[in-house]
Amino acid sequence: MYSKRFEKEAFKATVKDNVKTLYRKKIDEATPQQIFQAVSYAVKDIIIDDWLATQAEYRKKDAKTVYYMSMEFLMGRALGNNLINMTAYKEVKEALEEMNIDLNVIEDEEPDAALGNGGLGRLAACFLDSLATLNYPAYGCGIRYRYGMFKQKIENGYQVETPDDWLKEGNPFELRREEYAKEIRFGGSIRFEKDPVTGKDKFIQENYESVMAIPYDMPIVGYGNHVVNTLRIWDAQAITNFSLESFDRGDYHKAVEQENLAKMIVDVLYPNDNHYAGKELRLKQQYFFISASLQAMIEKYKKDHDDIKKLYEKVTIQMNDTHPTVAVPELMRLLIDQEGLSWEDAWDVTTKTCAYTNHTIMSEALEKWPIDLFSKLLPRIYQIVQEIDRRFVEQVRKQYPGNEEKVRKMAILRDNQVRMAHMAIIAGFSVNGVAQLHTEILKHQELKDFYEMMPEKFNNKTNGITQRRFLLHGNPLLADWITGLIGDGWITDLSKIANLKPYVNDEKFRKEFMQIKYQNKVRLAKYIKEHNGIDVDPRSIFDVQVKRLHEYKRQLLNILHIMYLYNQIKEHPEMSFYPRTFIFGAKAAAGYLRAKETIKLINSVADVVNNDRSINGKIKIVFIEDYRVSNAELLFAAADVSEQISTASKEASGTGNMKFMLNGAPTLGTMDGANVEIVEEVGKENAFIFGLSSEEVINYENNGGYNPIDIYFNDWELKRVVDQLMDGTYSNGNHEMYKNLYNSLLNTQSTSRADMYFILKDFRSYAEAQKRVEEAYRDEQRWSRMAMLNTACSGKFTSDRTIEEYVEDIWKLEKVYVPSGQPE
Ligand SMILES: *Cc1c(COP(=O)(O)O)cnc(C)c1O
């Protein structure tokens, strides 16, 4: 695509030039980081023309645009992905080789843009890739956190968090857009006035604090289509309009305060996944980026349109979870107070513009702001929320006369809290879950009352992932092999990967497939040797669980099972056992005690098992430090087994499961989230399913939980494993080290229910499924067929499919084709 303009010699010259102007160096004197910067600027140079052309074409076509609002964008690295989507990766690799530069080494110089926690943030990143590739006008809107997701170090087996100073060396792909800065106001009070001319109500915010929001734009390159969309992330800056005179009048302190407020707002990403902390600063972050994005959106609309009442014809706002829900009252405020619409007209526009994606049913993740905090920080917004709530409650009472229970359950304002999910559902024209099972649970359990009142809003959009990053870039050997067999159509139409199916029946191709898996395992083994100093055998089964550390994801079940296997091998050294490498990667929220204890447990078991020569290396355990998008790409490519073992009903979708499947790793999992649909696609004989169903789990929960004590006393092997948490086996004799984990299972101290995540309940079923994995792996013919079928059946799980569904059912966008941008 870019080959016409991607001219090798010119590119090499630009790289050399950049090194010279940026660093006053010759290319052979430059550090790898300097070369990364120079190469990235050269790449941005090429992108810019298409970026301009795309935006001009969108304006010319007056195309409807989706604004994807998200507190998180887990982008990972940009350079390799941009080259892939420019279809210039191989040419650039060659060009650099001619200069004795290894592109892979240069790529490793780029810090991950880790502006997200886990699945939710990565979904937003995959969606941007798909939107651009499918020719849809889109903005991602978020925050330019000064520090993204913390870097994880493992010290003495414990997680230690260090700041992620990702902007330290400068971000070559971003563009600062000072001219689009917006003022954001917090606090103060609202004075009400009648406009003497129009007679309309006017609301004036006084004694507020304010900051400037400055946008930074990052290009989102579509695959081979010249489309370049924009990720717009906002930085905060103090308003510096005070004069020297006012210094003398004592405004200096005020100026410094504003400076501090600005620094604080965008300082750091809250490192919680599926958990809500209720901090004032977090609400400030939400309002900050939402108000800035909406002001910019309206300003852009008004450049070419004069009827603000038709805003919804040209824009749609998708709210990624409840985090951006303050968009609802903020859009109302802008339409009423700034644009002069009546309440009814503003409500009409708002409810035709906003749509909401629900990401979880777990109560600890649902945002509920204390009213006093909310109203103090956002006084005008709070007035509007009160009015939305008042009108909604009126409607409920009309529809369900005398049913105050309904009002109590459904209102936005209740028990001194602002319930953000309720506001999102009430104002959104669409409410979607992220996998079939999750959407059904929403409709019939969690959001039952809302579903009964407004069934037409509810719909499912099963998540997806981009094959450009997680196969084409992350697994080049497999990508090339697939293209050799079926052509490269799968890159932009993953349903075509089904054309691999006929080859599954031919042993020759299955062998080639497994040979590639082996090479990827060698690549990962090298990474493990470098980072962990552990030798792992690429012929062993690579059994991988990588995802955020959370009790519902049940890393504890995995490690307890490894402890159980180790006991067995020790007791029956003659027992047949296929060598396994258990690989973990997970960050724990800094304040999440049980999660951190689980990391320590995994590392302690690893220490004991990896160094026990009597088991002949049958089990190795590896904890990958600082799990993130860049090393994730290596892990998916090398995995034999995909551990997706969440307590059924708790994982809304999962997307890691899809990345493993795409790369040919069968799922070992529960019938939860998108695992259900994975099994539907690949067949249950090509997965290893175990454990309670979501119905069974929900049933137990509605009846006060279950009692793990019977299991504990009747299964002595399992009891022994649980007791080993307390007897010092994995803690050098310290009996306290894992007491939180022990208590969480048996509830000897804690006030919450025992074994809330059904670990003991599912243990035997899991152990038995693991036996089936071993059996299947021993049969090379069978395993290679299963693995390859997983890849061949993964077509549904591309985020391209997900985006087409959003477009068709919710966003109603038109594709815009962009002519190649001409350099001027
Ligand atoms: C895909 C991905 C996730 C989400 O994984 P799940 O297993 O779905 O929780 C989290 N982190 C990173 C870096 C990812 O790439």
Side-chain angles (χ1 to χ4, degrees):
M1 289 295 163
Y2 283 77
S3 51
K4 204 171 61 190
R5 277 181 309 123
F6 180 77
E7 212 280 290
K8 208 199 253 175
E9 292 310 318
F11 183 80
K12 283 158 68 176
T14 309
V15 171
K16 280 185 196 158
D17 257 15
N18 287 351
V19 168
K20 194 169 78 183
T21 33
L22 288 169
Y23 305 109
R24 208 198 62 189
K25 277 187 178 175
K26 290 194 175 138
I27 190 88
D28 50 347
E29 302 166 331
T31 65
Q33 173 62 217
Q34 291 170 337
I35 294 172
F36 159 71
Q37 295 279 342
V39 170
S40 296
Y41 277 108
V43 171
K44 184 163 76 172
D45 253 8
I46 302 175
I47 293 173
I48 288 275
D49 294 313
D50 280 343
W51 205 355
L52 281 165
T54 301
Q55 301 309 315
E57 197 64 19
Y58 287 168
R59 192 161 179 199
K60 192 167 111 196
K61 295 272 155 68
D62 193 19
K64 187 175 183 186
T65 301
V66 62
Y67 285 76
Y68 197 82
M69 304 292 186
S70 182
M71 287 286 278
E72 303 189 14
F73 288 92
L74 191 51
M75 302 299 287
R77 290 174 176 156
L79 175 58
N81 201 249
N82 286 340
L83 291 174
I84 285 277
N85 282 8
M86 293 159 75
T87 63
Y89 192 89
K90 282 177 183 163
E91 285 110 309
V92 166
K93 197 167 167 53
E94 267 176 38
L96 294 177
E97 263 158 24
E98 289 170 19
M99 302 162 82
N100 281 321
I101 297 166
D102 180 345
L103 177 55
N104 288 333
V105 172
I106 296 311
E107 282 186 65
D108 277 337
E109 285 295 316
E110 181 177 0
D112 279 42
L115 309 182
N117 274 284
L120 175 146
R122 184 56 230 176
L123 184 77
C126 285
F127 280 4
L128 295 184
D129 182 84
S130 288
L131 280 160
T133 296
L134 297 170
N135 295 73
Y136 292 119
Y139 274 95
C141 300
I143 296 172
R144 185 175 178 270
Y145 300 106
R146 173 77 175 68
Y147 299 97
M149 190 60 206
F150 66 78
K151 294 225 141 298
Q152 180 192 55
K153 293 252 156 56
I154 300 298
E155 288 178 11
N156 190 26
Y158 289 99
Q159 165 177 298
V160 175
E161 305 90 22
T162 65
D164 166 39
D165 197 358
W166 71 294
L167 295 166
K168 183 174 55 195
E169 312 270 0
N171 176 2
F173 287 104
E174 69 185 11
L175 274 184
R176 182 182 166 93
R177 314 297 299 276
E178 187 85 43
E179 67 274 30
Y180 297 118
K182 299 283 173 282
E183 186 189 346
I184 314 295
R185 297 176 176 179
F186 298 102
S189 54
I190 304 299
R191 186 161 55 80
F192 165 81
E193 239 179 44
K194 277 239 180 288
D195 189 306
V197 184
T198 62
K200 277 189 177 173
D201 295 344
K202 275 180 65 179
F203 296 87
I204 300 142
Q205 194 169 355
E206 294 177 323
N207 302 314
Y208 54 83
E209 293 180 296
S210 64
V211 297
M212 291 308 284
I214 319 282
Y216 283 71
D217 288 353
M218 307 251 274
I220 306 294
V221 179
Y223 183 86
N225 64 354
H226 300 290
V227 168
V228 182
N229 283 340
T230 303
L231 168 61
R232 174 161 284 182
I233 49 180
W234 297 88
D235 187 22
Q237 195 176 285
I239 294 173
T240 49
N241 57 357
F242 58 95
S243 59
L244 265 181
E245 251 178 284
S246 59
F247 262 126
D248 300 335
R249 294 206 308 269
D251 278 5
Y252 176 75
H253 278 285
K254 188 154 191 199
V256 173
E257 267 171 30
Q258 296 213 7
E259 189 80 43
N260 286 339
L261 172 68
K263 278 207 187 91
M264 292 261 292
I265 286 182
V266 296
D267 195 46
V268 67
L269 165 76
Y270 280 91
N272 294 323
D273 188 72
N274 275 301
H275 186 89
Y276 143 77
K279 292 284 194 300
E280 178 178 359
L281 184 58
R282 169 86 172 181
L283 184 57
K284 270 190 184 152
Q285 290 183 333
Q286 295 180 349
Y287 184 69
F288 168 78
F289 95 95
I290 287 297
S291 180
S293 303
L294 293 187
Q295 289 183 52
M297 180 187 87
I298 288 176
E299 181 179 81
K300 190 173 167 72
Y301 172 82
K302 285 170 68 179
K303 267 193 206 162
D304 296 313
H305 308 87
D306 45 27
D307 189 357
I308 194 74
K309 286 185 210 164
K310 291 187 175 163
L311 179 71
Y312 61 88
E313 290 182 359
K314 294 299 166 190
V315 307
T316 286
I317 292 168
Q318 189 67 38
M319 302 186 289
N320 196 23
D321 212 329
T322 54
H323 320 149
T325 299
V326 74
V328 168
E330 174 64 2
L331 184 54
M332 289 293 287
R333 182 187 74 83
L334 291 166
L335 292 173
I336 296 170
D337 295 357
Q338 178 185 298
E339 303 299 323
L341 293 196
S342 67
W343 178 277
E344 286 73 18
D345 285 342
W347 185 247
D348 181 67
V349 173
T350 300
T351 54
K352 285 175 174 164
T353 303
C354 297
Y356 160 59
T357 302
N358 176 287
H359 281 270
T360 183
I361 61 163
M362 295 207 305
S363 56
E364 64 266 37
L366 294 178
E367 289 184 305
K368 296 172 184 133
W369 296 105
I371 283 182
D372 59 340
L373 182 158
F374 192 96
S375 59
K376 231 187 255 160
L377 187 67
L378 308 170
R380 177 61 183 141
I381 293 299
Y382 180 63
Q383 289 179 339
I384 292 169
V385 174
Q386 280 181 307
E387 182 61 11
I388 296 173
D389 185 57
R390 191 189 67 76
R391 289 175 183 236
F392 176 69
V393 165
E394 201 172 84
Q395 200 187 325
V396 175
R397 290 201 171 116
K398 211 155 108 196
Q399 196 159 336
Y400 302 96
N403 192 343
E404 283 306 299
E405 175 68 3
K406 280 270 182 206
V407 174
R408 189 186 62 73
K409 285 197 293 189
M410 298 176 81
I412 299 171
L413 300 175
R414 205 73 197 186
D415 305 327
N416 290 314
Q417 291 178 319
V418 187
R419 304 194 288 204
M420 301 303 270
H422 294 196
M423 183 154 64
I425 297 164
I426 290 161
F429 67 88
S430 162
V431 176
N432 77 280
V434 290
Q436 277 163 17
L437 175 69
H438 169 60
T439 301
E440 288 309 305
I441 294 174
L442 288 181
K443 292 199 296 196
H444 302 296
Q445 308 275 340
E446 299 302 306
L447 302 179
K448 188 161 173 280
D449 295 306
F450 289 100
Y451 178 61
E452 281 169 9
M453 193 170 169
M454 37 193 115
E456 70 289 348
K457 288 187 183 184
F458 285 74
N459 65 96
N460 175 246
K461 295 288 167 282
T462 299
N463 284 165
I465 55 155
T466 170
Q467 67 271 29
R468 269 86 56 191
R469 183 177 291 267
F470 292 107
L471 180 50
L472 187 54
H473 184 260
N475 194 345
L477 294 176
L478 186 58
D480 284 348
W481 181 78
I482 292 170
T483 297
L485 288 180
I486 63 170
D488 66 1
W490 62 271
I491 296 171
T492 50
D493 177 4
L494 197 63
S495 70
K496 292 211 170 83
I497 208 159
N499 292 333
L500 281 178
K501 282 180 196 171
Y503 298 97
V504 173
N505 296 317
D506 189 327
E507 189 180 344
K508 168 174 174 280
F509 295 108
R510 293 204 306 271
K511 273 222 164 88
E512 289 176 5
F513 185 88
M514 293 313 291
Q515 185 55 33
I516 289 166
K517 180 62 79 181
Y518 182 80
Q519 286 176 262
N520 285 321
K521 288 165 79 174
V522 170
R523 179 175 71 160
L524 181 59
K526 195 166 155 252
Y527 180 93
I528 289 170
K529 181 69 183 170
E530 275 169 23
H531 290 79
N532 299 63
I534 300 172
D535 286 303
V536 301
D537 184 350
R539 290 165 307 179
S540 65
I541 303 172
F542 277 21
D543 179 318
V544 185
Q545 186 176 19
V546 288
K547 49 183 73 251
R548 283 302 291 265
L549 204 311
H550 211 298
E551 283 166 287
Y552 84 81
K553 292 175 182 282
R554 300 202 293 193
Q555 283 92 353
L556 183 56
L557 173 60
N558 188 342
I559 193 68
L560 289 174
H561 175 255
I562 297 169
M563 290 158 64
Y564 158 81
L565 287 179
Y566 178 58
N567 290 341
Q568 281 204 321
I569 294 172
K570 294 286 280 182
E571 229 153 75
H572 310 285
E574 75 296 344
M575 170 184 104
S576 97
F577 183 86
Y578 202 99
R580 263 251 208 163
T581 302
F582 291 98
I583 299 169
F584 293 84
K587 289 178 185 175
Y592 192 172
L593 225 69
R594 287 174 181 176
K596 295 184 109 173
E597 227 170 84
T598 306
I599 290 177
K600 172 62 177 168
L601 177 64
I602 293 167
N603 283 307
S604 302
V605 175
D607 256 1
V608 171
V609 173
N610 293 346
N611 296 308
D612 182 343
R613 316 198 35 173
S614 78
I615 65 163
N616 291 320
K618 282 178 184 159
I619 299 179
K620 285 281 170 78
I621 305 166
V622 176
F623 191 96
I624 303 283
E625 193 176 67
D626 202 38
Y627 174 58
R628 59 191 189 280
V629 175
S630 54
N631 58 21
E633 294 179 34
L634 305 177
L635 287 155
F636 299 125
D640 290 310
V641 179
S642 164
E643 296 260 8
Q644 308 300 335
I645 61 178
S646 56
T647 310
S649 80
K650 303 294 177 196
E651 187 76 272
S653 164
T655 49
N657 47 4
M658 302 168 185
K659 302 167 196 165
F660 282 103
M661 182 192 198
L662 178 66
N663 283 277
T667 301
L668 164 57
T670 50
M671 280 301 226
D672 198 17
N675 296 353
V676 176
E677 290 161 72
I678 285 176
V679 171
E680 214 170 275
E681 294 299 305
V682 76
K684 64 176 181 308
E685 67 283 6
N686 297 307
F688 304 91
I689 298 303
F690 72 95
L692 294 175
S693 70
S694 59
E695 272 184 13
E696 289 170 322
V697 168
I698 290 169
N699 229 327
Y700 277 118
E701 287 176 339
N702 291 340
N703 292 290
Y706 89 107
N707 190 354
I709 293 297
D710 294 344
I711 295 174
Y712 175 76
F713 280 115
N714 287 307
D715 184 338
W716 68 268
E717 287 174 315
L718 177 54
K719 178 173 184 299
R720 178 167 170 214
V721 169
V722 174
D723 289 346
Q724 282 173 334
L725 293 174
M726 295 300 274
D727 71 5
T729 308
Y730 296 107
S731 55
N732 290 317
N734 179 342
H735 300 280
E736 298 284 291
M737 197 174 274
Y738 306 116
K739 69 167 194 293
N740 286 301
L741 294 180
Y742 180 86
N743 290 339
S744 78
L745 293 172
L746 296 178
N747 187 33
T748 54
Q749 322 279 282
S750 108
T751 50
S752 64
R753 281 188 351 240
D755 194 13
M756 283 184 63
Y757 296 96
F758 301 86
I759 288 173
L760 302 189
K761 187 86 184 154
D762 273 349
F763 184 85
R764 279 293 158 187
S765 171
Y766 178 60
E768 187 264 333
Q770 280 284 25
K771 273 221 143 338
R772 283 186 275 137
V773 169
E774 175 170 333
E775 240 168 75
Y777 199 87
R778 283 178 187 282
D779 182 346
E780 265 176 56
Q781 299 296 330
R782 184 172 158 215
W783 187 270
S784 59
R785 173 183 296 274
M786 286 179 83
M788 197 170 153
L789 268 175
N790 267 274
T791 298
C793 295
S794 64
K796 174 176 179 182
F797 301 105
T798 171
S799 44
D800 298 344
R801 185 268 314 149
T802 314
I803 287 298
E804 292 290 14
E805 291 178 5
Y806 274 94
V807 166
E808 169 83 13
D809 301 341
I810 306 175
W811 301 338
K812 317 279 182 197
L813 309 176
E814 304 283 348
K815 289 184 191 280
V816 176
Y817 296 93
V818 178
S820 163
Q822 293 307 313
E824 285 176 28

